[in-house]
């Protein structure tokens, strides 16, 4: 009798699981929208359009990329958090998504629970660069120089609270040195002052400074990823150069609303990984200095959670505040 009852209960459980699984298998049954919460033309937007074109082939449905810029990505993030988790509206965003919880104390959503992490789409290593006239030629020499001149070494960034600013704060903390942050209104003016010698140090994306490294106007001391950049194979990682455990890449992730069925999240992740494995897409990403992601959906979810914790600590330790 007990065996029969157990079998009946298992049958009901299996029947209850079928709709979710069937729904995941049938996805998508209408056009899919990928929203980029930044203006058109930036790296996030370019990667989204390249991925969308490949996913259109995988899904056999139109994939429309839209831009909904505002407040460092938080305006559309709030909208997505309240949408139905059916997979037909997704968001492709940058590292800002895991930095914002530490910067903004009054977000109207919970970054850990109101979104479903689907896939890391790409990662772009940053590089620690100095003006060609600045004396240090290695990471160790920079650390020694900063210790000899505490508070006298400036480093620039595209703005307070951005990924490149926080890379510098993490470097300061892990190296045990003092440097003064100089925020600019965008990467271009910061780079101009670095090239002109008004500031000596900056963290920036490899594609953004590669031509200046090759021309000799900037010197690359170390890349911020855990492995060397193919574009700069002779430049060590900062970890290799002596700051053990240092890692601060710019990366881009795809998210859906929270409460998404696990089967659907896994299917979406698998489809994205299939698209990212396309030789044509890999070539397009390489032109942006981006390396396609390879994490499973569960691995990416754990990574997102760890990144929120990591950057919140960096922001708190550096006492960074956004008005």
């Amino acid at each position: 009798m007990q065996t029969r009852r157990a079998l009946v209960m298992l049958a009901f459980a299996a029947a209850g699981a079928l709709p979710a699984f069937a729904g995941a298998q049938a996805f998508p049954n209408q056009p899919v929208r990928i929203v980029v919460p930044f203006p058109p033309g930036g790296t996030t937007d370019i990667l989204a359009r390249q991925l969308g074109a490949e996913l259109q082939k995988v899904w056999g449905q139109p994939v429309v990329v839209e831009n909904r810029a505002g407040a460092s990505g938080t305006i559309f993030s709030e909208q997505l958090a309240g949408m139905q988790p059916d997979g037909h509206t997704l968001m492709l965003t940058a590292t800002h998504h895991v930095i914002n919880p530490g910067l903004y104390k009054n977000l109207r959503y919970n970054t850990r629970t109101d979104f479903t992490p689907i896939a890391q789409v790409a990662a772009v290593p940053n590089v620690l660069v100095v003006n060609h006239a600045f004396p240090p030629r290695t990471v160790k020499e920079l650390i020694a120089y900063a210790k000899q001149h505490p508070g006298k070494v400036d480093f620039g960034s595209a703005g307070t609270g951005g990924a490149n600013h926080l890379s510098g704060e993490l470097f300061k903390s892990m190296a045990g040195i003092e440097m003064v942050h100089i925020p600019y209104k965008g990467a271009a003016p910061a780079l101009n002052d670095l090239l002109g010698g008004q500031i000596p140090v900056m963290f920036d994306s490899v594609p953004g400074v590669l031509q200046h490294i090759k021309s000799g106007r900037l010197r690359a001391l170390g890349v911020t990823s855990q492995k060397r950049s193919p574009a700069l194979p002779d430049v060590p990682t900062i970890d290799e150069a002596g700051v053990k455990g240092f890692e601060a890449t710019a990366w881009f992730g795809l998210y859906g609303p929270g409460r998404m069925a696990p089967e659907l999240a896994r299917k979406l992740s698998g489809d994205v990984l299939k698209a990212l494995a396309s030789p044509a897409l890999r070539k397009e990403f390489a032109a942006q200095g981006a390396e396609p992601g390879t994490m499973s959906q569960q691995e990416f979810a754990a990574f997102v959670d760890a990144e929120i914790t990591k950057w919140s600590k960096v922001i708190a330790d550096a006492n960074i505040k956004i008005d």
Side-chain angles (χ1 to χ4, degrees):
M1 190 71 172
Q2 288 182 343
T3 302
R4 183 178 176 183
R5 185 179 300 164
L7 288 171
V8 170
M9 290 177 68
L10 281 171
F12 276 113
L18 281 175
F21 180 75
Q25 292 298 96
F27 176 90
N29 54 21
Q30 64 188 62
V32 176
R33 185 170 60 134
I34 297 178
V35 178
V36 175
F38 305 113
T43 302
T44 313
D45 179 61
I46 292 169
L47 295 176
R49 293 180 188 282
Q50 291 171 341
L51 175 64
E54 200 63 37
L55 283 173
Q56 196 160 289
K57 300 174 189 175
V58 174
W59 288 332
Q61 286 281 356
V63 177
V64 180
V65 176
E66 297 181 10
N67 299 90
R68 297 284 187 88
S72 194
T74 61
I75 291 178
F76 181 74
S77 294
E78 181 183 341
Q79 294 174 15
L80 183 72
M83 292 182 178
Q84 288 297 316
D86 61 8
H88 289 99
T89 297
L90 305 170
M91 176 176 70
L92 200 157
T93 189
T95 322
H96 301 66
H97 188 66
V98 295
I99 291 173
N100 286 338
L103 282 178
Y104 301 99
K105 304 307 178 187
N106 297 311
L107 289 178
R108 297 173 67 178
Y109 55 82
N110 186 317
T111 308
R112 294 187 193 269
T113 60
D114 288 344
F115 305 94
T116 300
I118 292 168
Q120 185 189 57
V121 172
V124 179
N126 290 324
V127 58
L128 169 57
V129 287
V130 299
N131 180 274
H132 69 93
F134 192 54
R137 305 188 69 84
T138 66
V139 169
K140 287 185 178 180
E141 288 181 11
L142 172 59
I143 293 171
Y145 186 93
K147 287 182 176 179
Q148 291 166 6
H149 305 83
K152 301 296 184 182
V153 178
D154 296 337
F155 77 99
S157 81
T160 300
N164 292 345
H165 171 205
L166 296 187
S167 293
E169 296 294 348
L170 181 63
F171 179 75
K172 284 169 51 181
S173 174
M174 294 183 70
I177 59 174
E178 292 180 40
M179 295 196 301
V180 179
H181 174 234
I182 308 296
Y184 288 79
K185 293 183 178 180
L191 180 58
N192 286 338
D193 272 9
L194 179 67
L195 292 166
Q198 284 77 24
I199 54 172
V201 179
M202 186 171 166
F203 287 83
D204 203 355
S205 68
V206 171
V209 294
L210 186 59
Q211 62 174 321
H212 303 299
I213 294 170
K214 290 182 175 180
S215 74
R217 296 184 69 189
L218 297 179
R219 185 183 309 121
L221 303 189
V223 294
T224 63
S225 49
Q226 280 287 301
K227 60 182 181 180
R228 295 192 182 197
S229 167
L232 295 168
D234 297 328
V235 177
T237 67
I238 293 176
D239 174 87
E240 281 181 281
V243 185
K244 296 299 180 186
F246 185 92
E247 184 177 17
T249 57
W251 55 269
F252 306 84
L254 189 69
Y255 304 83
R259 307 170 307 282
M260 184 178 287
E263 297 89 348
L264 178 56
R266 287 193 295 269
K267 174 175 170 39
L268 279 165
S269 176
D271 290 346
V272 171
L273 291 177
K274 182 178 178 180
L276 293 175
S278 157
L281 189 63
R282 295 182 72 86
K283 184 177 179 180
E284 289 178 328
F285 273 27
Q288 301 295 322
E291 185 173 337
T294 59
M295 296 182 196
S296 70
Q297 192 269 326
Q298 286 185 318
E299 289 170 338
F300 180 56
F303 173 74
V304 169
D305 194 62
E307 286 280 283
I308 293 171
T309 300
K310 171 182 174 177
W311 293 120
S312 292
K313 183 178 187 305
V314 170
I315 291 164
D317 289 350
N319 195 31
I320 299 168
K321 298 183 185 300
I322 297 290
D323 295 330

